[in-house]
């Protein structure tokens, strides 16, 4: 049997004009700003007019700790959206935009896979509607204005050693991680050490994804701390007077994008902040807009549930006033097996014991998610090699944890393969049983917030942080930032800070290496371990094989 | 009398849907890729299908050497296009796209002025259809792949001191002119000196604007010389294997953009290479496409005619097989007066003698343009302070040079103010009197090409260049680049290399400071004097005043 590749399936998609997709959600044509015939932004005026409408049900798709076997979180998000539409519900999905740079390193991430994809795939992996380019421009305008301020006399008394605002580029370019700028003499300014992050790591990205409207966007941009004086007082973007121009550069990027799934259902694709130093979810404005236009909104969070869902709950939902009605936790038999100790080469053979052993990781995520007061349904994303006995073992285990698991075949069959899950998710969401509450209160001291996450989500015994870090947190509390939520940056592969510790470890410690204040985005980043904010290219970058074929189609990108 | 500002006039424009503008040119709706409702790209397939159609008439708008008084070259280009349409001709204009970065330094350049503008003005000064962002990405992908090649073992034996490919950003950021990259240890590569230019100075921009189709684009990108080995042999982009991926990034950017004038006439706005180190005209593909779709195409060249028109003729027309049918040379009474020695403060008072004295600059440009075999018509772009005697003085002078001058009031009156010029230009273009030929043959040695321009256009006595430069030119001839045209980079304010020498100086020398090979674009850049490829921001950047007003409109950009 020949299985069609993701790109072959995507190219064969029978896309509908984007105005028809908008029409399905009741968006009039003049409220759609088209980008080609298959992409559009939704106008700010139209979104403003939705305020008084009731919200649909919010469904979060998250996953166990990722394994090299792959879990299929986005695929399941797309499939579930299609499944809900297939059973007669008015549903939309909300996912993140892809970053352009990394596509030239490793092969680009498709938006979903198999028969559960979002199209147009090529555009979504390249320039799309230009949002990330706008973020790059806005970020670097601020950078230029900081050095320009110093150049023309430094009235704000910026300590040139303490400029914390770097530059960004949407490219994997390790040469830019650490640079010295303003060389070449008097006309080029004052030399200092700086560097570039990849655009998705920009605080501007996090801000765009948390802002509720343009006024909120500008306020948050203004709050960004760009540098410190010798006396350690902070200097903000507002003092540099860049917030207005940055808002202008981001005006269009703030409008959510809609595209469609292979089954012609609406998909909001907007924003894509890093899931480590930022919160890793699509934009608040996309989610809130989708909730006004659809009865069910399926969205996803980055990484595993310990990072992605935790931030979705404690940062995005808290700040945007959102309340999830159901969580779908994605797992695969293969990932269970890997967690149970099977090596990648042996994933194809039945091993019920290993599956059972590997379920511990799944079980802990179920418990964690329930602690937010939200009902959990497990989606087993089917692979061809899964056996009935293995699937039964997972279902039994999930039942023992007080939840239900459904086998889903959306990758192979599209919506037809996921109607059982969709039906149950709709029931759960409609039931009103969700009693969502974040994990910690705004008033809790910052260090205790970190402990709450480490102990109740990671199940660590303790958080290790030296005096300098604890003092810094206390200083921020004194400066009025004590009510911010925490954004944890640690490995996605384990509940611990050691990526090799799979399963559900206990008795570990969480060492805090560094803390950073994202005053504009509105969270304190807590870094545990090495965090890379500018990737490099591999020895043979995928770019070498990317090109147009004779039909003008893109080859090598996927 | 209150005169409306450019931005007020632009905002009051009654724009038609872009599909109606396309329809005027016979472009079917499915061949238009919309960007919002007022911008579109024209599909590559549709353009391919135009090959066998006859060409319309090509009209170049150029100007005298710029003065602080302003000449209004773009305004006249727009006005003439509207004027031709007003007298019943099917005309389109072709102009360059604006660079985003500089808008945050000085106030942004509107596209035209008064009642001769192209809209949507805000978009055109910001992200527009993303072309410049795509160029930035393509350029920097190549930069990243060069350092990545060195990092992984440097199989091509790149001399790290001789990497000539810099990075780019569409931002005025002097701190990036001269940087050291790859600091921070082993994982970040080999430290070396580098720098950033502004995106419009990228050779990728020049290439995009000279390429005839995607295959030609990829071939030219592959030809870019990125570095040299210790033995001075060149390493190309093709050897780095970046040309395919760069072409993918530029696929959409290669499609020309159409928008409209205030009078709803079609305007092609595509590409915007620097006018000093590159050729300074809109894309070849926009011009050739417009010529297939309209009976008259009005386009412009950067700077004054000594640089802009010379490059239009010797680079763009030569390489693209274009043949201009008429040149319109723009002058103003105020600029004549400044050339005649009047200071800026006294431009408002009548001074016929100064006007007459200042006409020398105009006269030399007329003679130069005629030497290309193309008929010249002078447009006097009217200012409210011009007196009848002053206008008569210019007309008389132009007549004495064997040409005709027309007073044009398109700024105040739109097409109604420029019908006389439009009528005459159409007559001249239709007459078939043009006998275009470039200034020099492909086979002429490179140094003699430089001399041809310096002596016959600048009217210099000699070109000064030391042995190193002459040897370099001979080496390029030996390497097979001898048939390339010359791209002069010198001040736009004078025929000489001294910006203060107005009028029509004689007896000067042209000192060549540096020569550069743009092997992908296909020209040799000859640098006379200081050329800035990365601007800085002023003490008070216009960005500080830019922001959204309560109506969501952009303030401070213009």
């Amino acid at each position: 049997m020949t299985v069609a590749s993701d790109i072959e399936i995507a190219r064969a998609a029978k896309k509908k004009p984007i105005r028809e997709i908008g029409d399905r959600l009741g968006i009039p044509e003049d409220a759609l700003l088209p980008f080609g015939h298959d992409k559009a932004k939704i106008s700010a005026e139209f979104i403003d007019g939705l305020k008084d409408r009731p919200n649909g049900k919010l469904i979060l798709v998250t996953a166990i700790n990722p394994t090299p076997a792959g879990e299929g979180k986005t695929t399941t998000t797309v499939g579930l959206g299609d499944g809900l539409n297939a059973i007669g519900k008015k549903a939309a999905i909300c996912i993140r935009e892809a970053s352009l740079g990394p596509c030239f390193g490793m092969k680009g991430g498709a938006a979903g896979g198999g028969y559960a994809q979002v199209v147009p795939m090529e555009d979504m992996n390249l320039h799309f509607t230009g949002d990330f380019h706008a973020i790059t421009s806005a970020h670097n305008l601020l950078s230029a204005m900081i050095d320009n301020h110093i150049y023309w006399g430094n009235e704000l008394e910026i300590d040139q050693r303490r400029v914390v605002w770097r530059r960004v580029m949407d490219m994997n370019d390790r040469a830019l991680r650490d640079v010295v700028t303003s060389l070449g003499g008097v006309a080029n300014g004052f030399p200092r050490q700086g560097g570039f992050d990849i655009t998705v790591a920009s605080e501007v990205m996090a801000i765009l994804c948390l802002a509720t409207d343009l006024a909120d966007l500008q306020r948050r941009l203004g709050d960004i701390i760009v540098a410190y004086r010798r006396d350690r007082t902070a200097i903000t973007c507002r003092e540099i007077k860049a917030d207005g121009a940055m808002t202008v550069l981001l005006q269009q990027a703030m409008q959510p994008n809609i595209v469609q799934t292979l089954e012609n259902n609406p998909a909001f694709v907007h924003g894509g902040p890093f899931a480590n130093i930022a919160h890793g979810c699509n934009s608040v404005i996309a989610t809130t807009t989708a909730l006004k236009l659809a009865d069910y909104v399926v969205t996803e969070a980055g990484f595993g549930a310990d990072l992605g869902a935790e931030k979705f709950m404690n940062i995005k939902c808290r700040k945007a006033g959102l309340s999830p009605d159901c969580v779908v936790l994605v797992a695969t038999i293969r990932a269970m097996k890997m967690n149970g100790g099977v090596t990648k080469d042996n994933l194809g053979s039945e091993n019920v014991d290993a599956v059972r052993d590997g379920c511990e990781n799944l079980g802990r995520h179920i418990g964690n998610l329930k602690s937010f007061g939200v009902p959990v349904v497990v989606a087993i994303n089917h692979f061809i090699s899964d056996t009935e006995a293995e699937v039964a073992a997972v279902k039994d285990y999930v039942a023992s944890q007080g939840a239900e698991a459904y086998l889903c075949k959306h990758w192979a069959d599209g919506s037809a393969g996921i109607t059982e899950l969709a039906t149950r998710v709709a029931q759960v969401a409609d039931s009103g049983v969700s009693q969502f509450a974040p994990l910690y209160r705004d008033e809790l001291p910052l260090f205790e917030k970190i402990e709450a996450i480490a102990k109740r989500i990671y199940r660590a015994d303790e958080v290790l942080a030296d005096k300098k870090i604890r003092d810094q947190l206390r200083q921020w509390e004194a400066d009025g930032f004590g009510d911010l939520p925490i954004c944890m940056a640690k490995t996605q592969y384990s509940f611990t800070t050691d990526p090799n510790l799979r399963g559900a470890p206990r008795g570990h410690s969480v060492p805090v290496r560094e803390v950073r204040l994202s005053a504009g985005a509105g969270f304190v980043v807590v870094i545990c371990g090495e965090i890379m904010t500018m990737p490099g290219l591999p020895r043979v970058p995928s770019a070498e094989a990317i090109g147009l074929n004779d039909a003008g189609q893109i080859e090598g990108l996927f």
Side-chain angles (χ1 to χ4, degrees), chain A:
Chain A
M1 188 181 92
T2 314
V3 179
S5 70
D6 286 357
I7 182 72
E8 285 166 345
I9 295 170
R11 279 187 190 151
K14 297 207 178 356
K15 285 182 290 186
K16 290 191 176 165
I18 196 65
R19 62 173 183 275
E20 289 185 31
I21 307 299
D23 189 55
R24 288 266 306 279
L25 294 174
I27 309 172
E29 196 174 345
D30 65 0
L32 284 180
L33 200 75
F35 282 71
H37 301 287
D38 52 9
K39 305 175 289 295
K41 285 186 165 286
I42 304 172
S43 81
E45 297 71 31
F46 176 74
I47 292 173
D48 281 348
L50 300 174
K51 284 206 167 68
D52 297 330
R53 291 200 195 174
N55 282 331
K57 300 296 180 185
L58 180 58
I59 298 148
L60 174 70
V61 175
T62 184
I64 56 170
N65 290 96
T67 71
E71 284 65 48
K73 197 168 52 191
T74 304
T75 302
T76 303
T77 303
V78 177
L80 179 57
D82 282 341
L84 286 163
N85 278 290
I87 61 168
K89 306 293 186 185
K90 187 178 179 184
I93 64 163
C94 283
I95 60 174
R96 286 169 290 171
E97 295 180 59
S99 181
L100 179 156
C103 295
F104 296 94
M106 310 290 275
K107 282 201 176 193
Y115 288 90
Q117 293 188 56
V118 176
V119 285
M121 191 191 202
E122 291 92 337
D123 288 354
M124 291 175 60
N125 280 283
L126 294 172
H127 309 292
F128 199 38
T129 60
D131 294 340
F132 287 16
H133 290 313
I135 289 166
T136 304
S137 293
H139 183 117
N140 290 332
L141 172 62
L142 176 54
S143 310
M145 289 177 76
I146 294 166
D147 277 306
N148 191 59
H149 180 89
I150 297 170
Y151 178 85
W152 287 106
N154 199 9
E155 203 178 328
L156 290 169
E157 298 181 351
I158 295 168
D159 182 344
Q160 292 158 48
R161 304 163 305 173
R162 293 197 175 90
V163 175
V164 291
W165 192 251
R166 292 157 54 92
R167 288 174 172 84
V168 296
M169 189 182 280
D170 194 0
M171 195 58 66
N172 287 19
D173 191 347
R174 69 170 67 74
L176 293 178
R177 286 174 190 153
D178 200 343
V179 303
V180 170
T181 55
S182 290
L183 296 169
V186 172
N188 297 352
F190 295 85
R192 65 177 183 83
Q193 204 164 358
F196 285 71
D197 297 321
I198 192 161
T199 298
V200 288
S202 167
E203 188 175 346
V204 177
M205 173 69 85
I207 288 172
L208 184 103
C209 290
L210 288 169
T212 51
D213 57 25
L214 286 166
D216 186 39
L217 177 74
Q218 180 159 353
R219 185 185 57 71
R220 288 170 177 271
L221 292 170
D223 287 343
I224 293 171
I225 293 174
V226 301
Y228 294 87
R229 296 184 182 82
R230 286 187 82 101
D231 67 5
R232 306 295 177 92
T233 54
I235 295 159
T236 65
C237 168
R238 192 174 292 110
E239 291 174 87
I240 300 291
K241 298 180 186 161
D243 51 325
M246 290 169 77
T247 305
V248 165
L249 280 167
L250 295 169
Q251 184 178 21
Q252 200 171 73
M254 261 297 280
Q255 298 174 228
N257 310 297
I258 63 163
V259 288
Q260 62 193 289
T261 67
L262 292 177
E263 300 191 8
N264 309 122
N265 294 311
F268 289 73
V269 181
H270 194 223
F274 246 34
N276 47 35
I277 59 157
H279 59 293
C281 320
N282 67 264
S283 75
V284 162
I285 198 165
T287 305
T288 53
T289 303
L291 285 168
K292 297 296 185 189
L293 298 172
D295 297 329
Y296 300 85
V297 173
V298 184
T299 188
E300 63 167 338
F303 294 163
D306 54 326
L307 281 166
E310 184 270 309
K311 295 182 189 186
F312 178 83
M313 307 289 190
N314 283 322
I315 299 176
K316 181 172 172 175
C317 289
R318 177 197 303 267
K319 290 297 171 184
L322 295 171
S323 182
D325 296 287
C326 179
V327 177
V328 174
L329 179 60
V330 182
T332 59
I333 300 297
R334 291 157 60 88
M336 294 299 102
K337 266 191 252 190
M338 277 202 112
N339 270 322
V342 177
T343 60
K344 202 170 177 184
D345 292 341
N346 294 313
L347 289 175
S349 322
E350 177 174 285
N351 190 335
V352 178
D353 287 342
V355 168
R356 211 172 276 132
D357 290 348
C359 278
E360 255 197 307
N361 184 269
L362 177 61
R364 180 174 289 177
H365 286 298
I366 294 172
N368 284 348
L369 290 164
K370 283 184 167 184
S371 72
F372 287 96
V374 184
V376 182
V377 179
V378 173
I380 305 171
N381 184 15
H382 178 71
F383 270 72
I384 205 94
S385 58
D386 300 350
T387 70
E388 278 184 34
E390 289 172 331
V391 172
V394 174
K395 286 190 173 182
D396 288 348
Y397 176 83
V398 171
S400 77
Q401 304 295 308
E404 304 150 66
Y406 293 86
L407 188 65
C408 303
K409 300 188 173 179
H410 47 286
W411 186 88
D413 300 333
S415 62
I418 198 171
T419 49
E420 201 188 356
L421 178 79
T423 305
R424 183 58 184 150
V425 164
Q427 274 176 359
V428 170
D430 289 342
S431 69
V433 299
S434 180
Q435 298 182 310
F436 170 71
L439 194 71
Y440 51 80
R441 292 170 298 109
D442 288 351
E443 302 77 32
L444 205 67
L446 291 171
F447 193 76
E448 290 180 41
K449 288 177 185 168
I450 301 171
E451 286 185 321
I453 297 168
K455 293 182 178 172
R456 291 169 55 194
I457 302 291
Y458 309 157
R459 315 290 173 98
D461 283 353
E462 57 179 352
V463 175
L464 305 175
D466 61 25
K467 182 169 178 303
K468 199 176 145 192
I469 284 171
R470 289 171 194 251
D471 286 352
Q472 177 65 79
L473 294 172
R474 273 189 290 267
Q475 183 60 50
W476 286 335
E477 285 164 358
D479 294 344
F481 297 108
D483 61 343
L484 294 184
I486 299 297
C487 181
M488 297 297 287
K490 71 157 187 65
T491 177
Q492 58 174 315
Y493 299 109
S494 171
F495 277 105
T496 74
T497 56
D498 176 354
N500 300 310
L501 286 181
R502 297 235 172 91
R506 284 197 172 272
H508 54 283
S509 308
V510 174
V512 176
R513 193 169 61 82
E514 186 191 340
V515 287
R516 295 181 197 167
L517 177 58
S518 291
F523 49 67
V524 171
V525 183
V526 174
I527 296 175
C528 312
E530 291 298 319
I531 297 298
M532 175 67 72
T533 51
M534 173 54 95
L537 292 170
R539 182 182 288 271
V540 182
S542 65
E544 292 188 4
I546 292 174
L548 296 176
N549 63 22
D550 291 340
Q553 291 171 323
I554 299 168
E555 298 288 353
L557 186 57
F558 311 99

